[in-house]
Amino acid sequence: SSPLLLGMLCLAFADSMEFTTRRVDIYEDAIDALLRKWDSSRAISRDDIYKGLNHHLKKRIFTLIAYKTFSENQYLLKEQALADYLVFFLKQLPTTQGQLLDGEVVLKAIEAQHGIFVERAQKIHSFAHLTFQEYFTACAIKGNPNYQQALMQHISDPRWREVFLLTASLLDDADAFFELFSTIIGGLLKEDGKVLTCLHWAADKATSIQLGYSICEIRFFYICLALFLDSDHAHIRDIGLPHTRARAIDLANALASDHTLAYAIDHAFDLAFGLDRDLALALALALDLERIIDHTLDCSLDLEVNSLEISCDYLLHIMRFYTAIFSNLINHHLPENTPFVLKFRQFHHTVIEKISGFGFIPLAEALTQLYQHPAYKIVTSTNWHAFNRQLADTLQIQRNIGQCWNFSPTQRDMLTNYFVAHSLLLDCLKLATVSDREAIKNRLFLPPSV
């Protein structure tokens, strides 16, 4: 779909007859080949103005222009403005001292000889491809700590995502880059007490788990469960939570050593962030409950392979989620054999059996007592609220889970940005050269003070 990039790839491939595995290396090889070969391959003679400019100096000019224009959100540039940029930066080079420079002549020479800039409309120019502008911007950031600091202000801006990835790829030693990255992520939480308390809770839970997943995976898992247990579902569609869910699932897939944990988190977020009143009513009427319970049990079975505690807490969170939904929906007497009550009671019994098998005997005994609760016999809103509270108390005492955090829209936005930033950091880490990759991962999803 992009003949220019295809041409670049062919130029790069012609040099070594192979492709590198990193995208940034392909860009670098292709641009180097483009600057060296484009003019000669098309039999274009050099303009006099280029006699003193070597390959490195040309890249330096393009790097400075790309950073300035990309930082100012400029893609289409008026010819005079671009010509002025060229003259300004050319004057800084030692090879052009004392020369009379005509920016428009320089621009035409660049367009003819290299194809780095193109004229999109009359006297309106741009980089020939956004990839050029992003790559040269990353080159500028690579060698300038101040630019790296400025880059971090764009963590939540998808327009800068590729620049982050390219910068991480270009750095010879990215340790300081990730130290800065982690510090900025901590600042996204703005010292919000409830959010920080939640992160401390997730960190404490993770340290108490017999590891079957990495420590950062477990922290992330419990943060997700805290989010999806938030009890106020009525406002979900209005505060951007589909984006939170999407980023959380992306993170789950990026973190999970296999797809089991990602699958479980995906399911949890489907329940929590896809819920509106119509779907809740459908669930309450048990139109889809049996399938979802089967899905939950399948997830927990897979989770058992790596961690009985994770599987246990996952089952209990799903159970807690449904009791909260039912207690908010039931506002009149329903018969004992209401379909969703029968199916949920069966699920309750299955959870007791599984948890007993895991060896959590006091927890299984507490859930067995709850199994005799009046809510299963007289289906009223009052009874289900009481059931919900008793289950929540049991889970907090036995497993330190089940709290409803009641995050505000602002707090959820903070956590959304927190997820987006961590997802970006992980993607950068896959491409970067660092001294201890696991140490960086182990610091993820910690509250700032830890």
Side-chain angles (χ1 to χ4, degrees):
S1 63
S2 180
L4 176 62
L5 292 184
L6 177 59
M8 288 173 57
L9 294 175
C10 291
L11 286 171
F13 186 78
D15 268 357
S16 60
M17 302 305 293
E18 64 181 9
F19 287 122
T20 62
T21 56
R22 298 197 315 163
R23 181 167 47 178
V24 70
D25 294 331
I26 294 177
Y27 292 164
E28 194 163 38
D29 290 348
I31 288 172
D32 286 347
L34 184 64
L35 293 177
R36 289 196 310 271
K37 294 182 176 181
W38 190 272
D39 52 352
S40 59
S41 66
R42 298 192 301 165
I44 296 175
S45 61
R46 288 187 180 274
D47 191 286
D48 287 344
I49 204 164
Y50 271 94
K51 286 182 179 179
L53 294 185
N54 60 30
H55 182 190
H56 173 75
L57 292 177
K58 292 176 189 177
K59 286 186 69 174
R60 178 64 179 158
I61 294 170
F62 301 145
T63 294
L64 295 170
I65 293 175
Y67 182 78
K68 179 171 180 58
T69 56
F70 194 85
S71 298
E72 296 176 358
N73 202 17
Q74 296 178 354
Y75 301 107
L76 298 175
L77 305 169
K78 293 182 178 180
E79 183 171 278
Q80 188 58 55
L82 182 52
D84 290 344
Y85 287 148
L86 287 167
V87 170
F88 177 79
F89 292 122
L90 278 168
K91 284 181 177 179
Q92 300 177 32
L93 302 178
T95 56
T96 59
Q97 296 300 309
Q99 293 189 40
L100 293 176
L101 300 174
D102 186 327
E104 293 184 13
V105 172
V106 176
L107 175 58
K108 295 302 181 184
I110 293 172
E111 289 181 336
Q113 295 177 9
H114 304 307
I116 297 293
F117 297 118
V118 296
E119 188 171 11
R120 300 293 185 184
Q122 187 174 9
K123 295 189 179 299
I124 300 295
H125 301 258
S126 74
F127 281 88
H129 195 279
L130 180 59
T131 296
F132 287 169
Q133 195 174 13
E134 291 170 335
Y135 170 77
F136 286 125
T137 298
C139 288
I141 294 170
K142 170 191 173 183
N144 191 317
N146 292 331
Y147 286 179
Q148 291 180 30
Q149 182 77 43
L151 174 65
M152 296 301 164
Q153 307 309 310
H154 303 287
I155 280 179
S156 301
D157 186 348
R159 191 175 70 89
W160 285 81
R161 174 180 170 78
E162 190 66 21
V163 175
F164 271 95
L165 298 176
L166 291 169
T167 301
S169 300
L170 287 166
L171 289 167
D172 296 326
D173 179 354
D175 285 351
F177 178 80
F178 284 102
E179 285 287 341
L180 178 59
F181 209 141
S182 298
T183 300
I184 296 299
I185 287 178
L188 295 174
L189 302 177
K190 298 178 182 177
E191 299 183 355
D192 184 280
K194 184 182 289 188
V195 172
L196 292 178
T197 300
C198 178
L199 294 184
H200 278 286
W201 165 78
D204 291 342
K205 279 295 298 183
T207 57
S208 72
I209 298 295
Q210 295 179 4
L211 297 183
Y213 297 96
S214 72
I215 190 72
C216 69
E217 289 174 331
I218 298 173
R219 290 187 206 117
F220 173 64
F221 180 72
Y222 281 100
I223 293 170
C224 289
L225 293 182
L227 269 172
F228 105 88
L229 269 182
D230 196 15
S231 62
D232 186 7
H233 302 290
H235 65 276
I236 278 176
R237 286 173 294 179
D238 301 324
I239 60 175
L241 289 189
H243 180 61
T244 310
R245 173 186 171 278
R247 298 308 303 172
I249 293 172
D250 285 346
L251 262 177
N253 285 311
L255 283 166
S257 53
D258 57 46
H259 287 294
T260 304
L261 190 64
Y263 191 54
I265 294 173
D266 189 352
H267 177 219
F269 274 79
D270 272 333
L271 292 177
F273 296 158
L275 192 71
D276 57 28
R277 290 191 179 277
D278 292 335
L279 178 58
L281 182 59
L283 292 174
L285 296 175
L287 298 179
D288 207 24
L289 186 58
E290 186 169 14
R291 180 187 65 81
I292 293 176
I293 285 177
D294 289 342
H295 186 97
T296 299
L297 293 173
D298 287 343
C299 283
S300 71
L301 187 63
D302 291 336
L303 290 168
E304 291 173 26
V305 175
N306 288 318
S307 173
L308 294 179
E309 291 177 285
I310 290 283
S311 180
C312 171
D313 288 350
Y314 176 65
L315 284 170
L316 295 174
H317 270 89
I318 299 297
M319 185 175 176
R320 172 80 169 84
F321 174 79
Y322 275 109
T323 60
I325 293 297
F326 294 160
S327 63
N328 288 327
L329 287 170
I330 301 167
N331 54 17
H332 59 280
H333 286 265
L334 293 175
E336 181 181 349
N337 62 349
T338 297
F340 81 78
V341 175
L342 295 177
K343 290 175 183 176
F344 187 76
R345 185 169 183 169
Q346 182 182 7
F347 176 58
H348 187 163
H349 180 69
T350 302
V351 170
I352 293 171
E353 290 184 333
K354 289 181 74 69
I355 288 174
S356 295
F358 293 165
F360 302 128
I361 303 304
L363 173 59
E365 291 174 350
L367 291 175
T368 300
Q369 293 179 2
L370 189 59
Y371 188 71
Q372 307 301 323
H373 196 279
Y376 281 130
K377 297 180 180 179
I378 304 175
V379 184
T380 65
S381 177
T382 299
N383 281 349
W384 271 99
H385 275 291
F387 183 96
N388 185 35
R389 287 193 298 272
Q390 189 172 336
L391 176 61
D393 291 342
T394 298
L395 300 189
Q396 289 179 47
I397 292 170
Q398 296 285 340
R399 294 293 304 161
N400 188 23
I401 61 174
Q403 308 93 320
C404 275
W405 296 89
N406 295 316
F407 294 118
S408 69
T410 299
Q411 290 165 334
R412 282 186 173 273
D413 286 344
M414 282 185 200
L415 285 168
T416 297
N417 291 333
Y418 187 71
F419 283 160
V420 170
H422 272 98
S423 181
L424 179 58
L425 185 151
L426 280 166
D427 287 340
C428 288
L429 188 59
K430 293 175 186 176
L431 304 170
T433 301
V434 293
S435 59
D436 193 338
R437 200 172 307 274
E438 288 306 309
I440 293 173
K441 287 186 69 174
N442 288 340
R443 294 196 297 268
L444 300 180
F445 301 106
L446 281 171
S449 59
V450 175

